[in-house]
Amino acid sequence: MAAYSARGVHGQVVQSLGARIVGGAVAEGATLDVRALGEELDVSLTVMRESLKVLAGKGLIDARQKRGTFVRERKHWNLLDADVIRWRVEGGAGEELMRDLADVRSIIEPAAARRAALHRTDADLAALAAALDSMGRARSDSADAAEADAAFHRALLAATGNEMLARMDMLLEPGLRERDRLVHAHAAVGDPVPSHRAVLDAVQDGDPVRAELAMLDLLAKAVEDLGRLAGGPAASRPPGKAR
């Protein structure tokens, strides 16, 4: 999904207001003076209204008679929205977000890899192999690497043969793409191909136990990569493991 900041004046307004809200510059419950914001951002009320509709769709704001337009409580925000995730990272909450993502992945993806080894089709294997091939070619391009990584994990979920699991990409992919944007742009991280190839080989061989273990190793490496970026030993600890 393209960032709204890349979509002209309307997108710039969404970007500006969304980042302020998610970053905490505008508090939960605060009433927005739509006319004053329009003057500040030098846009028409029409642009403001259309931009506010987008933010409302992300759960960030609402409007009520006699109260006007206001910022909703955080519990109503769509924290899985790609823009909301990006604004959280820009606002300094990246480490917390990536920790939460690692926990969710540790619950879903090892089980998905195990099931994929039992239910994958030739088409699934071809999709996984194509994504891995793209990953290998894209090592010097962070955007292409992130796209290839997302394609691999999407194909793995599809390979489970379970339609509900397959749609878990909607839960994981926005956060995964933001993680990849951070990780693949940093020269200190390792080559992601071998850990992904180990998952594919196990799935292709129809070995569910090996597939699950390979995914656990992949996730541990992903956490270590983030730990190197954060520069802290706690961040490099695999989810669920204590030392």
Side-chain angles (χ1 to χ4, degrees), residues 116 120-131 155 159 200-206:
R120 86 287 186 274
T121 65
D122 288 343
D124 293 325
L125 293 174
L128 286 163
L200 172 55
D201 288 347
V203 170
Q204 183 170 308
D205 291 345

Side-chain angles (χ1 to χ4, degrees), residues 118-215:
L118 297 172
H119 298 279
R120 86 287 186 274
T121 65
D122 288 343
D124 293 325
L125 293 174
L128 286 163
L132 187 63
D133 185 55
S134 296
M135 196 181 300
R137 294 196 309 269
R139 291 173 188 171
S140 61
D141 188 311
S142 60
D144 286 350
E147 178 60 39
D149 193 38
F152 183 92
H153 291 275
R154 188 166 56 243
L156 182 71
L157 290 170
T160 64
N162 182 302
E163 288 186 334
M164 294 185 71
L165 268 176
R167 297 317 298 151
M168 285 291 172
D169 67 331
M170 299 176 67
L171 170 68
L172 295 177
E173 193 163 319
L176 184 61
R177 284 182 178 274
E178 188 63 27
R179 175 214 171 267
D180 287 345
R181 185 187 68 78
L182 295 172
V183 169
H184 291 302
H186 199 283
V189 302
D191 181 1
V193 172
S195 57
H196 286 75
R197 186 178 301 282
V199 174
L200 172 55
D201 288 347
V203 170
Q204 183 170 308
D205 291 345
D207 189 331
V209 173
R210 201 169 101 234
E212 183 176 14
L213 291 175
M215 178 55 71

Side-chain angles (χ1 to χ4, degrees), residues 25-95:
V26 182
E28 297 174 37
T31 299
L32 301 179
D33 187 332
V34 177
R35 187 174 297 276
L37 284 170
E39 292 175 356
E40 175 195 338
L41 298 171
D42 194 24
V43 296
S44 68
L45 282 176
T46 298
V47 171
M48 282 298 303
R49 292 190 187 103
E50 290 303 312
S51 301
L52 293 174
K53 286 180 182 178
V54 174
L55 296 176
K58 298 176 185 296
L60 300 181
I61 64 171
D62 201 353
R64 293 282 188 273
Q65 286 186 349
K66 298 183 180 180
R67 182 174 180 182
T69 302
F70 62 95
V71 177
R72 302 183 76 188
E73 294 179 46
R74 181 187 176 87
K75 65 182 180 180
H76 298 297
W77 297 358
N78 180 2
L79 297 177
L80 301 178
D81 179 86
D83 286 311
V84 174
I85 287 173
R86 178 168 50 80
W87 293 330
R88 288 186 66 193
V89 173
E90 292 172 354
E95 185 174 343

